[in-house]
Structures are given as structure tokens and as C-alpha cells.
Amino acid sequence: MKVTKDMTIGDVIRANPQAARILMSFGMGCVGCPSSQAETIEEASMVHGMDVEQLLQALNQ
């Protein structure tokens, strides 16, 4: 599955549980909290001040 910026964190983790480690390595320590499950990759990137393209590249490797 290719991860896109409009996918929610919850969808990404359900499809690939290993993605949680990648997200946490980018500073998203609350990947399990309820609000993050409905947040898109793009929204989370903005909130955490990170480059969405870098994150997507890591998630899609």
C-alpha cells in the first residue's frame, strides 16, 4: 500500500503496524492517542513542523 498525505494515521498504522515506529522516529510520540487516529499525515506533519514529503518517503520505503 502506498501511503499518501491524505490518509489518516490510524489507517496507515492499521495497514502497516511498523509505520508506528517510523512516525515516532519523526517525533510523533502520540501515534496511539485517539485524536491522532483521525488526523491525516499532512495535518500531523504541519502540527509537528515536519516535511510531509520526507515523512511520506520514509513511510513508503
Side-chain angles (χ1 to χ4, degrees), residues 24-25 36 49:
M24 289 191 300
S25 77
S36 74

Side-chain angles (χ1 to χ4, degrees), residues 38-51:
E39 195 171 46
T40 67
I41 296 295
E42 183 174 41
E43 291 167 339
S45 294
M46 288 189 315
V47 167
H48 292 278
M50 62 185 67
D51 183 333

Side-chain angles (χ1 to χ4, degrees), residues 47-58:
V47 167
H48 292 278
M50 62 185 67
D51 183 333
V52 70
E53 295 304 322
Q54 273 188 316
L55 179 57
L56 287 172
Q57 183 177 3

Side-chain angles (χ1 to χ4, degrees), residues 8-29:
T8 66
I9 291 173
D11 289 340
V12 172
I13 293 173
R14 279 188 291 280
N16 179 8
Q18 296 294 341
R21 266 198 277 186
I22 295 167
L23 291 166
M24 289 191 300
S25 77
F26 273 78
M28 293 184 188

